[in-house]
């Protein structure tokens, strides 16, 4: 699944570690999501959407 996490994070000037801390996961989890190696759980997807003030489908793009 493609996503816009890298761009959204960069727009806010956050590192992967900062985003991880804000969402309660590890930096490695954020890296894996950004690189498409891991799809987030539904609760994590909702936390990311709330944090970025977007709908889930605006962040994650189903291929």
């Amino acid at each position: 699944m493609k996503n816009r996490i890298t761009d959204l994070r960069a727009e806010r000037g956050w590192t992967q570690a900062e985003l991880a801390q804000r969402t309660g996961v590890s930096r490695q989890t954020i890296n894996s999501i950004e690189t498409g190696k891991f799809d987030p759980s539904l609760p994590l997807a909702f936390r990311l959407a709330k944090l970025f003030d977007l709908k889930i489908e605006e962040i994650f793009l189903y291929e």
Side-chain angles (χ1 to χ4, degrees), residues 1-12 14-16 19-20 23 29-36 38 40 44-45 47-49 51-52 54 56 58-61:
M1 180 180 328
K2 293 189 178 207
N3 66 72
R4 300 176 47 216
I5 300 292
T6 304
D7 294 334
L8 294 168
R9 179 177 57 75
E11 287 172 7
R12 288 156 180 79
W14 297 341
T15 65
Q16 286 181 343
L19 179 56
T23 55
T29 297
I30 297 298
N31 180 269
S32 293
I33 293 169
E34 287 185 355
T35 59
F38 174 76
L44 177 53
R47 286 198 305 270
L48 288 163
L51 183 63
F52 290 123
L54 295 170
I56 289 176
E58 293 175 312
I59 299 173
F60 298 96
L61 314 166

